[in-house]
């Protein structure tokens, strides 16, 4: 497979998406744009391969768990600039070892996809009577034949469980 020379992508974007339900669609489109950027793949794949190198061959759950645990535990959760939505590239999150839920979800999704797993973003409302305010990753596990939720922003959150949403969950491939 041929990948074009790495194009430089900005390390972070300030996002003004507006409000309402259509803003979520625009937000996830930005996540997918970063996730699929050829400039991100070599660094992200290199780190993902390091994480799974000692896993048993074809151990899908073991590989997914290792990458998820790294993002959940080694990447420090830190909020965006007050009043400003920002989105970091996966490379920047790897360099800083810090980011908010969308940065962590983007890194996790990029890492898993770089080693062959399909992912999608799940957007939820973690506050009653609130708005959609959180994103996490779901990955398809072929051996199980189903999508598995991977919450990476809450320290100690269990593997394979979804965070509660007070509004219908929105999923984006």
């Amino acid at each position: 497979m041929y990948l074009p020379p790495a194009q430089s992508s900005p390390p972070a974007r300030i996002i003004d998406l507006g409000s309402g339900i259509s803003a979520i669609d625009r937000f996830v489109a930005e996540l997918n744009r970063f996730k699929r950027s050829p400039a991100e793949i070599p660094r992200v794949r290199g780190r993902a391969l390091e994480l799974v190198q000692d896993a048993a061959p074809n151990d899908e759950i073991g590989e997914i768990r290792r990458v998820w645990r790294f993002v959940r535990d080694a990447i420090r959760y830190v909020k965006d600039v007050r009043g400003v939505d920002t989105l970091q590239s996966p490379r920047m999150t790897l360099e800083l070892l810090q980011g908010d839920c969308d940065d962590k979800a983007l890194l996790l999704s990029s890492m898993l996809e770089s080693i062959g797993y399909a992912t999608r973003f799940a957007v939820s409302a973690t506050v009653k009577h609130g708005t959609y305010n959180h994103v996490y990753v779901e990955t398809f596990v072929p051996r199980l034949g189903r999508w598995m939720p991977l919450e990476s922003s809450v320290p100690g959150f269990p593997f394979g469980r979804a965070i509660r949403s007070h509004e219908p969950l929105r999923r984006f491939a």
Side-chain angles (χ1 to χ4, degrees):
M1 178 170 87
Y2 172 75
L3 285 177
Q7 302 162 356
S8 61
S9 61
R13 290 188 183 140
I14 295 174
I15 304 171
D16 182 10
L17 300 172
S19 59
I21 205 75
S22 63
I24 295 168
D25 297 335
R26 291 188 296 275
F27 168 73
V28 174
E30 287 296 315
L31 289 174
N32 281 320
R33 211 176 335 273
F34 257 134
K35 176 175 78 171
R36 295 190 176 108
S37 169
E40 299 297 319
I41 294 170
R43 173 98 160 101
V44 168
R45 179 171 167 80
R47 187 63 179 116
L49 290 172
E50 289 172 10
L51 292 168
V52 302
Q53 69 185 355
D54 295 328
N58 300 311
D59 179 6
E60 295 169 346
I61 298 295
E63 289 180 353
I64 293 166
R65 184 186 302 265
R66 285 170 185 234
V67 174
W68 164 79
R69 188 175 287 140
F70 167 78
V71 174
R72 185 196 67 180
D73 298 343
I75 307 297
R76 180 179 177 270
Y77 179 87
V78 63
K79 296 177 187 177
D80 277 335
V81 174
R82 186 176 169 277
V84 179
D85 287 323
T86 60
L87 182 61
Q88 294 174 175
S89 71
R91 284 178 302 152
M92 178 173 256
T93 303
L94 276 176
E95 289 170 19
L96 296 174
L97 296 176
Q98 298 184 78
D100 69 352
C101 66
D102 51 62
D103 302 320
K104 290 177 72 133
L106 178 55
L107 176 60
L108 178 57
S109 180
S110 290
M111 292 177 91
L112 288 172
E113 290 217 354
S114 80
I115 58 172
Y117 294 96
T119 66
R120 65 186 181 193
F121 296 105
V123 181
S124 67
T126 61
V127 179
K128 281 186 181 180
H129 310 295
T131 184
Y132 289 93
N133 64 336
H134 185 64
V135 63
Y136 63 89
V137 172
E138 294 180 335
T139 191
F140 188 78
V141 184
R143 195 158 292 200
L144 300 178
R146 67 177 177 87
W147 290 92
M148 176 183 286
L150 300 171
E151 171 56 56
S152 61
S153 294
V154 179
F157 202 84
F159 180 69
R161 292 212 21 227
I163 198 161
R164 182 175 180 202
S165 183
H166 297 280
E167 297 291 333
L169 199 61
R170 301 208 51 216
R171 292 180 169 101
F172 300 84

